[in-house]
Amino acid sequence: MSAADHAEYTGDGIKGKNDGAPAFSPDGKRLYFSSRRPRPAGGAPGEDFDIWFVERRGGSWTDAVNLGSPVNTGRNEVNPSVSSDGTIYFQRIEKLGTLDWDLYRVPMRNGAYGPPEKLPAPVNTEANEAGPFIAPDGSYLLFQ
């Protein structure tokens, strides 16, 4: 992504949107990120973070698209990472400002995302798990 592309993607004049945690799909055609920007219905930036994406089409990027429900909830979904089959791994923070963090995944099936699945132990523990990175082929998961 060039500096001009970055300015195009974030330069929408929305204050307080807090775009961050970018992650490209393995094919480089989508860029996923977390944001508090206004929901598709409009209005003020969200109280919580959602996962969004932009797609590369020709020589430019599309407008940002909110993944919507059931991936995004009233909680904080951040730090997306995507495998080649379209499965998104992410961190859900139950309440901003707390340390109640766990990792989830949501596979793409028939072109749509279903309900996220909380990753089982030994990945999620009583401690806090964050910052997932899934290998493109899904062979390993790195996280803190």
Side-chain angles (χ1 to χ4, degrees):
M1 176 182 269
S2 72
D5 288 335
H6 179 72
E8 177 182 330
Y9 138 68
T10 60
D12 54 14
I14 300 169
K15 297 196 183 302
K17 65 184 179 252
N18 294 333
D19 290 344
F24 278 103
S25 60
D27 65 8
K29 293 180 180 177
R30 275 191 178 183
L31 176 64
Y32 293 84
F33 62 98
S34 305
S35 183
R36 286 183 55 233
R37 59 179 54 221
R39 305 301 193 286
E47 293 297 316
D48 64 290
F49 287 86
D50 284 343
I51 298 174
W52 295 71
F53 70 88
V54 291
E55 287 185 309
R56 183 78 165 164
R57 294 205 182 134
S60 63
W61 293 92
T62 64
D63 289 336
V65 175
N66 184 300
L67 281 181
S69 179
V71 176
N72 293 320
T73 66
R75 293 169 280 179
N76 297 288
E77 289 80 27
V78 297
N79 296 326
S81 181
V82 187
S83 64
S84 296
D85 68 0
T87 300
I88 300 174
Y89 289 73
F90 64 94
Q91 170 186 344
R92 180 171 281 160
I93 304 169
E94 298 299 325
K95 183 177 179 192
L96 192 60
T98 71
L99 297 177
D100 190 7
W101 308 341
D102 284 310
L103 301 183
Y104 289 76
R105 73 174 167 213
V106 59
M108 182 179 278
R109 294 190 178 105
N110 301 318
Y113 289 106
E117 307 162 350
K118 186 174 180 177
L119 296 178
V123 173
N124 282 313
T125 66
E126 294 299 317
N128 299 302
E129 294 74 34
F133 170 80
I134 188 67
D137 66 2
S139 62
Y140 62 89
L141 175 68
L142 301 175
F143 62 96
Q144 58 187 33

